[in-house]
Amino acid sequence: MINLQGRVALITGGSRGIGRATAILFAKANADVAITYHVNENAAKSTLEEIQRLGRKAIAVKGNVGKSEDVKRMVKEVMDYFGRIDVLVNNAGIWTYGAIGEMPEEVWDETMDVNLKSVYLFTNEVVPIMKKQGWGRIINISSTAGQRGEAFHSHYAASKGAIIAFTKSLAVELAKYNILVNCVAPGWVNTDMCAEVFKDPNFVEQVKSTIPLGRIPGPEEIAGPVLFLASELANWITGATISVNGGSVLCG
């Protein structure tokens, strides 16, 4: 039922995890896809090849999502290649340990640059394009940490909570331009970001015990709601945060 034929989606951090799963699912829905990546060229190449096998056009652009000059260049490369950007998925993110009172300033700054500043930078560049087109969909990836907080990861939680507030603000600001802005807030997901902590089977069981559905999802299960928000099925949704966490955090 969902068909994004003729649409171009730009997905930040699209080479791995939720970003990769979203890129591939968008391609299955007939969208052409641009992804950004920072370091892992092989992962980006693998994602491109998978999209192209699905018969869609694809491009990967390399850069630091927290640096203005890189973001401007990456968006320009996407526009030069496709000529339009219809959907922006602000997905790039990092998750690191940081006990308050011990957290170095550079750890805080890195998290804010990658997780939050990148959302501002890409949105700031893409919105003028969407305004000219008279149509746009922006989906920001937050987290349950942004909804309830997360001890020893306050920098991560703060960045993700700010994304939710940013989403609500822009939903009102951009509605008259037919640009819908929404948010997806995953809980624990089986991705590279969590690979280190998931090496401990006791920790995995502890996490599962907090999830009513009783398991840890794959990134494809987060990509589905993102695709929904980009589709015509979600034309009357803006400013919303969709919790995708198996019932672990119930937010009204």
Side-chain angles (χ1 to χ4, degrees):
M1 182 179 291
I2 293 178
N3 188 346
L4 299 185
Q5 184 75 41
R7 302 296 188 193
V8 174
L10 169 57
I11 302 168
T12 69
S15 65
R16 297 187 295 172
I18 293 171
R20 173 185 166 89
T22 301
I24 292 170
L25 190 60
F26 272 50
K28 289 179 178 178
N30 296 316
D32 294 323
V33 182
I35 63 171
T36 77
Y37 73 101
H38 188 203
V39 176
N40 196 328
E41 187 171 349
N42 288 334
K45 183 179 178 182
S46 172
T47 302
L48 284 190
E49 290 172 350
E50 181 64 25
I51 294 168
Q52 290 163 349
R53 272 195 293 270
L54 292 165
R56 306 312 308 171
K57 295 179 180 178
I59 183 175
V61 290
K62 181 178 181 179
N64 185 333
V65 295
K67 290 189 177 297
S68 177
E69 59 271 24
D70 280 20
V71 171
K72 289 178 184 293
R73 174 184 52 77
M74 286 189 281
V75 171
K76 183 179 185 302
E77 287 183 29
V78 174
M79 285 298 292
D80 287 347
Y81 190 82
F82 287 115
R84 62 186 300 117
I85 298 172
D86 300 288
V87 181
L88 171 64
V89 181
N90 284 307
N91 165 77
I94 58 173
W95 180 69
T96 57
Y97 180 85
I100 202 66
E102 303 172 7
M103 188 194 311
E105 184 177 353
E106 56 267 26
V107 172
W108 174 276
D109 288 345
E110 180 189 30
T111 296
M112 291 299 162
D113 283 351
V114 176
N115 291 7
L116 181 58
K117 187 178 180 181
S118 69
V119 177
Y120 151 70
L121 289 174
F122 274 96
T123 303
N124 205 45
E125 288 299 310
V126 170
V127 160
I129 296 166
M130 291 180 171
K131 283 182 177 180
K132 288 180 182 178
Q133 295 169 175
W135 196 97
R137 301 292 182 266
I138 300 171
I139 301 110
N140 300 319
I141 307 301
S142 180
S143 166
T144 55
Q147 296 171 308
R148 67 176 179 183
E150 187 174 6
F152 303 104
H153 302 276
S154 59
H155 53 327
Y156 177 79
S159 69
K160 293 300 186 176
I163 286 172
I164 294 173
F166 188 67
T167 297
K168 292 177 179 179
S169 301
L170 292 191
V172 177
E173 182 176 334
L174 299 176
K176 64 182 178 181
Y177 301 104
N178 196 25
I179 300 172
L180 307 185
V181 189
N182 290 292
C183 186
V184 169
W188 289 102
V189 184
N190 191 9
T191 66
D192 290 352
M193 183 183 288
C194 302
E196 189 63 31
V197 294
F198 283 170
K199 287 179 181 178
D200 180 352
N202 292 326
F203 182 77
V204 171
E205 290 306 311
Q206 180 183 339
V207 168
K208 287 180 180 179
S209 72
T210 68
I211 303 173
L213 290 182
R215 61 183 178 82
I216 299 171
E220 298 80 10
E221 292 174 280
I222 314 303
V226 178
L227 176 63
F228 165 71
L229 289 172
S231 77
E232 301 292 336
L233 297 177
N235 279 350
W236 201 240
I237 301 175
T238 195
T241 297
I242 297 182
S243 296
V244 190
N245 58 44
S248 61
V249 177
L250 301 175
C251 296

